[in-house]
Amino acid sequence: MGAENKFYKLVIRDELDQVQKINKMLKETYKKVSEKSKFPQEFKQQILFLLKRIQTSFREDEQEEFLNNISQLIFTINRYRLNRSLLFSDISLVNAHLKAIQSFLSLKKIENIKPQGIGFLVICVYNLIEILTRKKGDEHSGLSSSQARRRKDEY
């Protein structure tokens, strides 16, 4: 799903490093929607609100709230997708990410979510928002080649 080994690069880090990286990814996701998305204003505000709640619940280690917020984010994106209020540039990738998150959430009980599961969900949300905010004609990753090289070195 375009994760470019992000998950494996995340889980091999020590716990503090993982938390810092996840926080950074959540902030970047929020910033991308805030500054670069062309979403309808109401949808954009809902997404930003949920992303802020996801950041807060992660930072405060409120796992149940974190998972509920992720679920609500996916519900909100699905609702707009199904209403065809948004035309996504790569619907197959959007659907794959939505399905991966929904499947993970439906198969896991809150008490069984390990830090790796949280990392998986954040990477999926990060990639999903990257896909949703990319401009038509951007390369597959949604990044310029120089940005892609920098991002690859980052992990």
Side-chain angles (χ1 to χ4, degrees):
M1 288 192 320
E4 301 174 356
N5 295 323
K6 288 179 188 171
F7 177 73
Y8 299 106
K9 290 176 181 177
L10 180 66
V11 298
I12 62 171
R13 295 170 177 243
D14 66 50
E15 189 176 337
L16 180 60
D17 221 15
Q18 286 180 26
V19 168
Q20 290 173 337
K21 184 63 181 171
I22 289 171
N23 273 317
K24 182 178 178 185
M25 290 176 76
L26 290 171
K27 287 176 185 174
E28 287 175 8
T29 302
Y30 184 91
K31 185 176 180 180
K32 186 168 282 250
V33 172
S34 178
E35 296 177 0
K36 297 183 179 167
S37 73
K38 303 289 186 212
F39 298 147
Q41 193 59 33
E42 180 184 346
F43 179 66
K44 183 177 186 174
Q45 291 306 317
Q46 291 174 350
I47 297 300
L48 289 171
F49 173 77
L50 290 167
L51 288 172
K52 187 57 78 177
R53 290 184 63 176
I54 289 167
Q55 285 178 5
T56 301
S57 56
F58 175 76
R59 195 175 47 250
E60 295 176 1
D61 201 24
E62 295 287 339
Q63 201 171 69
E64 185 172 354
E65 186 67 21
F66 174 84
L67 296 173
N68 288 336
N69 290 324
I70 295 276
S71 182
Q72 190 63 39
L73 177 71
I74 298 314
F75 174 81
T76 301
I77 292 170
N78 252 332
R79 185 179 66 228
Y80 272 81
R81 181 184 62 88
L82 294 174
N83 290 338
R84 299 185 189 273
S85 295
L86 292 176
L87 298 174
F88 300 130
S89 60
D90 193 337
I91 196 67
S92 62
L93 272 177
V94 170
N95 288 339
H97 281 78
L98 291 171
K99 185 173 183 168
I101 295 167
Q102 289 170 323
S103 296
F104 184 87
L105 291 173
S106 69
L107 295 174
K108 290 293 200 174
K109 293 190 167 142
I110 291 169
E111 61 272 6
N112 294 336
I113 303 283
K114 295 183 174 22
Q116 296 86 351
I118 299 295
F120 171 79
L121 289 171
V122 170
I123 289 169
C124 285
V125 167
Y126 179 88
N127 287 341
L128 177 61
I129 294 299
E130 195 168 274
I131 294 163
L132 295 177
T133 57
R134 80 169 72 145
K135 295 177 186 168
K136 287 195 178 224
D138 283 355
E139 60 183 73
H140 182 71
S141 70
L143 303 172
S144 70
S145 57
S146 63
Q147 288 173 315
R149 282 191 297 276
R150 279 195 310 270
R151 179 71 49 88
K152 189 174 182 179
D153 292 340
E154 209 173 272
Y155 289 94

